[in-house]
Amino acid sequence: MDIEAQRETAKPNIRGRIKQQKTELIQEEILDAASRLIAARGFRAVTVDDISAEMGFTKSIVYYYMKNKNEILWRIFEKIDDTYAKGLEEAMNSGGSPTELLSKIVKIHSLNVMLHQEWSTIYNRDENELTEEQRASVTANRRKYNKQIQELYTQGIAAGEFRDADPFLAVSCLIGACNWPYTWFKRSSKHSAEDVASAFADLLIKGVARGA
């Protein structure tokens, strides 16, 4: 194939990538705008008109990139679950003792809650607005996430690092505490998200440590 023919072949591929990048960018903008509004007002109080106005777009553009309001909400939940899963994977693959790994998990999870506070508000409040199938998927993802941490906790018991408590209850307590800052954390506070997450990683882990 000569150079000119290669150029002609490459053009559709380049256009396709540009179109895909544009789609992803606008969808991200839609999700960001929707997250702000839904977190502040609740899912049912927000309309597609509100979301388009928040972006400075027409409603038709929102509908071009998203089928309806449910898809917008579902995409938000997918982003949250994906972010938590990647954070857990990062912590688990970092190496260290069960205590060190659990401390990293607590810190990363807490940071995700505070740095994505609008997502966290929606995730903890608006799950009932999803379809039954979507709720089942969220529940499955949550159980998988917690199960991995429970297995780590079991390893910590065997290693003599953690209290011999029911792993389900211990992890539910830890993750529940990590989730709660979405209700009270303020970015303007004297304590940064990093400060709060570090304190949680220290204090919560001491709470489950053997001999605590």
Side-chain angles (χ1 to χ4, degrees):
M1 183 182 294
D2 60 30
I3 294 176
E4 190 61 34
Q6 291 176 0
R7 287 174 179 168
E8 289 302 315
T9 301
K11 285 179 182 178
N13 293 332
I14 293 171
R15 286 195 293 269
R17 288 198 299 271
I18 292 173
K19 182 179 180 180
Q20 179 63 28
Q21 289 170 355
K22 178 183 177 183
T23 296
E24 291 173 357
L25 178 61
I26 294 177
Q27 286 177 337
E28 283 297 313
E29 289 184 23
I30 292 171
L31 295 180
D32 287 344
S35 295
R36 290 193 298 272
L37 295 175
I38 295 171
R41 304 182 195 173
F43 179 74
R44 295 190 183 187
V46 175
T47 66
V48 173
D49 283 315
D50 295 328
I51 296 169
S52 61
E54 176 78 3
M55 301 172 64
F57 286 177
T58 62
K59 183 168 64 175
S60 61
I61 291 180
V62 176
Y63 277 123
Y64 181 81
Y65 289 99
M66 297 285 182
K67 288 187 293 187
N68 49 41
K69 220 171 69 162
N70 171 264
E71 182 181 1
I72 293 172
L73 182 65
W74 176 235
R75 292 285 193 92
I76 293 170
F77 270 81
E78 285 186 317
K79 283 171 64 70
I80 297 168
D81 277 335
D82 184 58
T83 298
Y84 285 157
K86 287 180 178 177
L88 179 59
E89 182 180 13
E90 175 188 337
M92 295 291 279
N93 291 337
S94 64
S97 68
T99 298
E100 290 168 335
L101 293 177
L102 189 58
S103 178
K104 291 172 186 176
I105 291 168
V106 166
K107 184 171 184 178
I108 290 173
H109 189 105
S110 300
L111 277 172
N112 278 330
V113 168
M114 290 180 282
L115 296 179
H116 306 292
Q117 201 165 1
E118 290 153 349
W119 294 4
S120 302
T121 299
I122 295 166
Y123 193 82
N124 286 283
R125 187 193 62 198
D126 294 316
E127 184 178 342
N128 285 339
E129 303 295 345
L130 296 171
T131 67
E132 183 176 349
E133 182 179 357
Q134 289 166 346
R135 290 197 303 273
S137 179
V138 170
T139 297
N141 288 334
R142 187 181 295 125
R143 285 176 177 169
K144 179 181 178 181
Y145 181 88
N146 288 348
K147 183 68 174 177
Q148 288 178 269
I149 306 174
Q150 289 163 20
E151 290 171 354
L152 174 63
Y153 191 88
T154 300
Q155 294 170 19
I157 294 174
E161 297 181 27
F162 299 149
R163 291 185 181 190
D164 190 7
D166 184 305
F168 172 82
L169 296 178
V171 171
S172 295
C173 179
L174 289 170
I175 298 303
C178 292
N179 285 335
W180 200 239
Y182 90 88
T183 65
W184 56 262
F185 176 72
K186 303 293 183 186
R187 291 182 176 88
S188 59
S189 169
K190 66 177 182 179
H191 300 298
S192 67
E194 180 73 25
D195 293 335
V196 175
S198 295
F200 274 34
D202 177 40
L203 298 173
L204 292 174
I205 300 305
K206 285 179 179 176
V208 298
R210 173 158 292 196

